[in-house]
Amino acid sequence: MHAAADAALRETVHRKVSRVLLLELNAARVAGRLTAPDPAARWAEFTELSDTPAFWESLSGRYPTLLGRLHTIMRRRCDSAVTLARRLAADRAAVAALGHAGADELTGVEFGAGDSHRGGQSVAVLEFAGRRVVYKPRSIEVDAVLGRFLAAVFDGVPEPERIRVPEVIRRDGYGWAGYVEHRYCSSDAELAAFYRGIGHWLAVMRLLGGSDLHTENLIACGPVPVVVDCETLFGLPPAPRPSGLGLAVDRASRLVDETVLRTGMLPTRGAALGWRGVDSSSVGSLPGQQPAGQAPVIVDGGSDRARLGFAPVTATAAASHPSAQPVLADHWERVVAGFDEASAWLRAADRAGRLDPLLAAFADCPVRMVLRGTDVYEEVARMLWHPKSLHDEPAAVARAAGLFAQMAEQLPGAPSDPAVIAAEITDLLEGDVPFFTTTPRVGRLTGPGGTGWLPERNLAVEALRRWRAADLGLDRVFISAALVSAYLNDDWMPSGDPMPAPPPRSDGLDRRRRALAGDLMVQLREGAIRGEDGTVTWIAPVLGLTGWSVQPLSADLYSGLPGVALLLAAYEREVARGCADAVEGLSELLDASLRTMRAAEAHAEKLRAAGTKVRPREPGAYVGLGSQIWTWLTLHRWGVVGDEGVDRARALGRLLPEAIADAVDFDLLAGPSGAIVPLLHLADATGEAAWTDLAVGVGRKLVAAARPRGRGGVNWPSSRWPDGLGGCAHGATGVGWALARLALATGDAEFAATAEAAFAFEESLYDPAAGGWIDLREQEPGLIASAWCHGAVGVGVTAADLARRGWKVPDDLVARAAASAHRFGVGWNHTLCHGDLGCWELLVAALEDGRAPEGVDRGSLDARIVGSLEHNGPVSGLARDAFSPALMSGLGGVAYQLLRMGEGTDLPSVLVLGGPG
């Protein structure tokens, strides 16, 4: 016990003072106070110097509160270790029985298995000759009551497959829990039971208001997902605050906050600084699907040149996974089915009058509320222990208080009371994460330092009321849609078999096409979330720079509201031409979509005018300002918005220089290269040369960043793929196409040469034997990609676009791309980005060029697409049966391409940002 406490204490203190010691080391070196002959000897000299009480006392002049804070931390951690030892001595017989350890001696202790709270207390794991037990320095009454609740609700499920919590021993203010050993499933049957159990947990936590069930709080024990930390039950959805984006967005955000998405179990991507793109969910957190991270480390330790640096962090395998390489797409239907099954049982129990007494048993169980994310507390704590903060603690405390107060204005539920904020900061100064607790009967929170927050109310009664009024069908949709958030790639494709392909039928083809498009528009209308102020949005998987998340639509063309507005305007345009069936309510929906887009732009402008620091939007053609510019110009060209479209495009164009300067990557999807073609459209619409000049500046940036890659090729590195990629969305083809368009507009030879070099790199990825372009993202070498984002469709449609504009394209390029798309790309889903409707566009281009694969003609091609949609229903990939209105990744793009399938249409291609010029 003593050895473990000593090691944990040293680790804790090291994290707090390492930056101070590095600063003092360098100050001593610069000042000449280290006199040893070499760097290693001077390091030894400094460490010997710092290993004395006099050294630490000498720091008080520069860091007045450092010693006092360290003494507090050390005293509290030591007291907590002694408390654990006394409790173990008192409970030894019961603890040994819990761990099935008999009379075995204590052989190991691990402190700090969780965050430190309330005076240095933390979870500890105790080992008795190979058997382990978990010590929790809090009441675990809620664990015991939840265990009884699960046994009552799931009494019909075989015990080896029933979801559970660990066995516990309750004591006054603390307790002991059985240690759950992680074990992978040994069969498909066990995997099926595990994911069914995940659905059961989602249903239970939807009722009980559970949250914070991230990857560390659930353990896969063969076929059973075991929740090992269930202290955050009966949490209230935060009271909504106006977003400034419209009442529809506020309503949609409130709906998201009230569903299973708030449990923390389902895949989602973090947006906070330091956690951007991280999926910490218990079901997600997949290997290879986390962003590359860095952690602070001491560089050149052992020499007097030691300094703070960063090193790559490799994510470890999560114990919440039931297999080493989980394939969620193969089991996600079981999660949904498990949710439906358990929800039905709970509804039946409620009708029978059994649910009220089961929930009443929780009334006096202490529970915890997480009002600010642990990541927020960690970042502020790091700031408070920075040498500058230690030098002037009052200023640092004021900064922290300001940050927490500002957060309270933006994050519903976060404390705004200055007394509570001051108590939170005191905890952080003393090494603890602030802890808020209550009981469901009381509701009012007790926080650090005895402070209080929120009014009294019966949380269990409110949870049951909300659950009874909930539309659990909406939760079901969100579970389906959340699958896509587990994957970083915007076009990740599930494994398994392709969709069934019925024999193509040509009878009534145009009537069937119109019917399919009309049905999709009805789904779009019925899925709309409207606000009383005339705004509208949808909840769907949305792609951002941090990855996918299920949320109200963003302001992007790829998966956001501009794409939906474009679709609505296109449908109304085709109805007016007599080439689409009228659908009631779409004109009003278009007006509402435009109103919401305007509200988002006005809100951003208001923040800038107020001097609020806002990170610039991405400049890209599909995610970012470029996508908004192209959308407004297209709506203007169609006469939907008049001169407003050009004015708004201008205003967005003025934001591009800052966005381009802030961009990290160069890609077409979200990076600076994506701004080029929208800027050329803006120059054409306004006759203003400044927009072409701005595009030329982007071109120079791209030329300078191009990296030679053998045989005359170039590509561009990115944060996710440092060696660069091929393909259109993130790789050489997309950047090369943008440079080629710029070269055609300006006659600049350097742009043309760099574009050709980009195409040469892409050509180096073509595998003649396989008949396609190698996807460099894949861990398995030699895999072929045939989508717009990566592979044949993107290569082919950009080549066809350039050829129409007079660019010299290899004679067989479009033919090879069409053959690859026809062979590998069709039959997996129907999306525009990475499905059948993207392949359709390339094959149509190949037909017009006389280079389509043998046996492909326009009639059979259209019949195949229409037949697949009728037979399988529109399939958008990972979102499963959740309706996604996204233009590129959802069913909105399917409807748009069905419109373009009609005879005589002039709707522009989204895949090459079509328009005049």
Side-chain angles (χ1 to χ4, degrees):
M1 185 75 72
H2 182 278
D6 180 74
L9 187 58
R10 290 176 184 273
E11 171 69 18
T12 297
V13 172
H14 181 266
R15 286 199 304 267
K16 303 301 183 186
V17 303
S18 58
R19 287 177 293 179
V20 167
L21 290 173
L22 288 171
L23 186 60
E24 292 298 315
L25 167 66
N26 279 277
R29 175 181 55 83
V30 171
R33 294 196 299 273
L34 302 179
T35 59
D38 58 71
R42 289 190 291 272
W43 166 275
E45 184 181 2
F46 178 79
T47 55
E48 183 178 354
L49 171 68
S50 65
D51 195 23
T52 63
F55 170 83
W56 291 94
E57 291 165 3
S58 73
L59 299 181
S60 296
R62 289 186 291 283
Y63 315 110
T65 61
L66 174 61
L67 270 185
R69 283 163 61 177
L70 286 177
H71 285 153
T72 298
I73 288 178
M74 291 187 286
R75 183 184 70 254
R76 287 181 167 185
R77 299 298 171 97
C78 291
D79 289 347
S80 297
V82 171
T83 298
L84 168 57
R86 288 174 173 158
R87 288 172 171 175
L88 175 60
D91 300 335
R92 181 59 179 267
V95 169
L98 180 65
H100 307 291
D104 290 335
E105 67 176 327
L106 182 68
T107 57
V109 180
E110 178 189 343
F111 284 95
D115 296 319
S116 166
H117 303 291
R118 299 184 293 183
Q121 300 182 86
S122 66
V123 174
V125 178
L126 287 73
E127 186 167 346
F128 299 86
R131 301 283 187 170
R132 286 182 277 191
V133 172
V134 179
Y135 163 74
K136 295 189 175 185
R138 63 166 177 83
S139 168
I140 57 173
E141 182 68 26
V142 69
D143 303 61
V145 175
L146 180 57
R148 294 195 295 269
F149 177 92
L150 296 174
V153 172
F154 297 98
D155 58 343
V157 179
E159 190 168 349
E161 296 180 1
R162 184 187 303 163
I163 61 173
R164 62 181 176 87
V165 294
E167 182 184 358
V168 296
I169 297 173
R170 291 167 286 166
R171 293 292 186 263
D172 184 15
Y174 71 98
W176 309 92
Y179 185 86
V180 179
E181 294 285 354
H182 176 234
R183 175 174 77 80
Y184 287 141
C185 291
S186 60
S187 65
D188 289 341
E190 284 199 342
L191 280 170
F194 177 87
Y195 285 107
R196 179 197 186 201
I198 291 294
H200 289 173
W201 271 121
L202 287 169
V204 168
M205 291 302 172
R206 178 65 173 90
L207 166 64
L208 299 182
S211 63
D212 204 36
L213 295 169
H214 51 73
T215 186
E216 295 179 357
N217 287 342
L218 184 144
I219 304 295
C221 186
V224 182
V226 182
V227 169
V228 295
D229 196 342
C230 57
E231 61 181 337
T232 53
L233 298 184
F234 299 103
L236 290 170
R241 292 182 179 171
S243 65
L245 304 176
L247 295 180
V249 175
D250 293 346
R251 182 182 170 214
S253 298
R254 186 167 63 253
L255 285 172
V256 170
D257 287 340
E258 292 175 352
T259 67
V260 287
L261 294 178
R262 70 185 299 266
T263 64
M265 295 183 70
L266 293 172
T268 191
R269 296 286 166 181
L273 182 65
W275 290 84
R276 286 178 181 150
V278 175
D279 174 15
S280 60
S281 66
S282 52
V283 183
S285 305
L286 299 182
Q289 296 298 331
Q290 295 285 43
Q294 290 188 320
V297 296
I298 294 178
V299 180
D300 287 344
S303 85
D304 66 342
R305 296 283 178 174
R307 62 198 180 278
L308 193 68
F310 290 88
V313 175
T314 302
T316 57
S320 58
H321 292 161
S323 57
Q325 293 292 331
V327 184
L328 294 188
D330 289 352
H331 303 283
W332 208 246
E333 283 82 359
R334 294 189 177 98
V335 175
V336 177
F339 175 80
D340 289 343
E341 181 180 52
S343 295
W345 293 340
L346 291 169
R347 293 290 198 201
D350 192 29
R351 288 192 298 270
R354 294 190 294 115
L355 209 51
D356 279 295
L358 287 174
L359 264 65
F362 288 97
D364 297 313
C365 296
V367 293
R368 181 187 174 198
M369 299 292 172
V370 179
L371 304 184
R372 306 185 203 270
T374 300
D375 57 313
V376 172
Y377 284 133
E378 287 176 349
E379 289 296 326
V380 174
R382 276 180 55 79
M383 182 270 285
L384 290 170
W385 283 89
H386 189 278
K388 182 178 179 180
S389 298
L390 290 165
H391 178 67
D392 188 354
E393 184 177 292
V397 167
R399 282 196 300 274
L403 288 171
F404 282 170
Q406 184 179 3
M407 174 181 288
E409 295 176 1
Q410 300 172 358
L411 180 66
S416 59
D417 185 336
V420 178
I421 290 175
E424 289 179 285
I425 293 171
T426 297
D427 265 13
L428 296 175
L429 290 171
E430 296 173 348
D432 280 344
V433 172
F435 192 94
F436 292 85
T437 187
T438 186
T439 63
R441 189 191 303 276
V442 173
R444 178 168 172 78
L445 303 184
T446 299
T451 55
W453 181 244
L454 299 180
E456 289 192 4
R457 50 192 153 183
N458 192 310
L459 301 178
V461 170
E462 290 198 19
L464 184 57
R465 177 186 56 77
R466 287 196 310 274
W467 179 78
R468 285 170 173 165
D471 177 4
L472 297 184
L474 188 62
D475 287 87
R476 188 184 194 280
V477 169
F478 287 178
I479 295 170
S480 296
L483 173 60
V484 70
S485 300
Y487 299 92
L488 276 175
N489 290 338
D490 47 275
D491 66 326
W492 185 88
M493 300 277 287
S495 60
D497 297 327
M499 299 180 292
R505 293 172 32 232
S506 59
D507 57 295
L509 189 59
D510 191 63
R511 170 184 53 78
R512 292 157 56 205
R513 172 194 69 82
R514 294 166 66 126
L516 285 166
D519 287 346
L520 286 168
M521 300 309 290
V522 170
Q523 290 185 60
L524 180 72
R525 182 191 66 197
E526 297 306 309
I529 297 171
R530 304 167 191 267
E532 294 80 359
D533 58 349
T535 56
V536 69
T537 191
W538 287 258
I539 298 173
V542 171
L543 177 66
L545 288 190
T546 61
W548 289 97
S549 59
V550 179
Q551 63 179 60
L553 295 189
S554 61
D556 295 308
L557 184 67
Y558 190 95
S559 55
L561 195 58
V564 175
L566 189 81
L567 168 62
L568 288 164
Y571 196 89
E572 291 292 274
R573 186 176 175 85
E574 292 301 288
V575 168
R577 261 191 355 108
C579 295
D581 299 334
V583 174
E584 186 177 353
L586 295 192
S587 294
E588 294 80 6
L589 211 53
L590 174 58
D591 290 343
S593 298
L594 296 175
R595 182 187 296 270
T596 311
M597 290 165 60
R598 294 181 186 111
E601 292 175 16
H603 179 65
E605 179 58 36
K606 182 179 178 180
L607 291 176
R608 286 190 292 271
T612 304
K613 289 185 178 181
V614 179
R615 186 178 183 180
R617 285 234 57 202
E618 304 85 358
Y622 294 89
V623 175
L625 296 170
S627 74
Q628 295 173 267
I629 291 170
W630 182 78
T631 301
W632 281 115
L633 291 177
T634 302
L635 295 173
H636 162 72
R637 214 164 42 245
W638 290 348
V640 176
V641 292
D643 291 341
E644 177 199 8
V646 176
D647 292 340
R648 289 191 174 277
R650 276 197 188 97
L652 292 162
R654 288 192 284 271
L655 302 177
L656 275 171
E658 184 183 9
I660 291 164
D662 184 69
V664 175
D665 299 329
F666 303 96
D667 64 2
L668 186 73
L669 189 86
S673 65
I676 289 177
V677 171
L679 282 170
L680 295 178
H681 284 308
L682 184 55
D684 181 75
T686 62
E688 297 164 356
W691 307 117
T692 302
D693 293 342
L694 182 54
V696 167
V698 176
R700 301 285 179 231
K701 182 182 181 81
L702 296 174
V703 170
R707 186 174 58 183
R709 285 298 301 267
R711 291 189 292 180
V714 300
N715 71 4
W716 287 262
S718 74
S719 53
R720 280 167 61 187
W721 299 287
D723 293 331
L725 293 178
C728 200
H730 303 288
T733 283
V735 181
W737 171 73
L739 284 171
R741 289 286 299 268
L742 186 58
L744 288 170
T746 63
D748 189 294
E750 189 176 35
F751 296 153
T754 307
E756 289 290 4
F759 300 146
F761 172 75
E762 190 73 61
E763 185 63 19
S764 72
L765 302 180
Y766 183 76
D767 183 342
W773 282 263
I774 296 170
D775 187 346
L776 295 179
R777 298 168 304 152
E778 302 292 350
Q779 294 181 352
E780 182 180 343
L783 293 182
I784 299 300
S786 295
W788 169 82
C789 38
H790 300 275
V793 173
V795 170
V797 295
T798 53
D801 175 69
L802 292 175
R804 284 193 298 270
R805 299 172 185 277
W807 187 272
K808 179 62 177 174
V809 171
D811 290 341
D812 66 338
L813 182 57
V814 174
R816 283 188 284 127
S820 178
H822 186 248
R823 179 180 176 188
F824 300 112
V826 177
W828 301 99
N829 65 73
H830 295 117
T831 64
L832 185 51
C833 176
H834 42 269
D836 288 6
L837 273 303
C839 295
W840 173 84
E841 181 164 328
L842 173 58
L843 291 168
V844 169
L847 283 167
E848 292 173 351
D849 197 34
R851 298 179 183 276
E854 185 176 354
V856 175
D857 60 75
R858 180 62 187 270
S860 64
L861 175 61
D862 290 359
R864 178 177 181 179
I865 297 293
V866 169
S868 176
L869 287 166
E870 291 172 329
H871 184 81
N872 299 292
V875 176
S876 63
L878 287 177
R880 295 301 166 105
D881 57 352
F883 179 82
S884 169
L887 194 62
M888 291 293 287
S889 58
L891 301 183
V894 175
Y896 188 82
Q897 293 293 75
L898 285 170
L899 296 176
R900 295 187 73 227
M901 198 180 286
E903 186 176 352
T905 184
D906 64 350
L907 298 179
S909 166
V910 175
L911 299 184
V912 292
L913 302 180

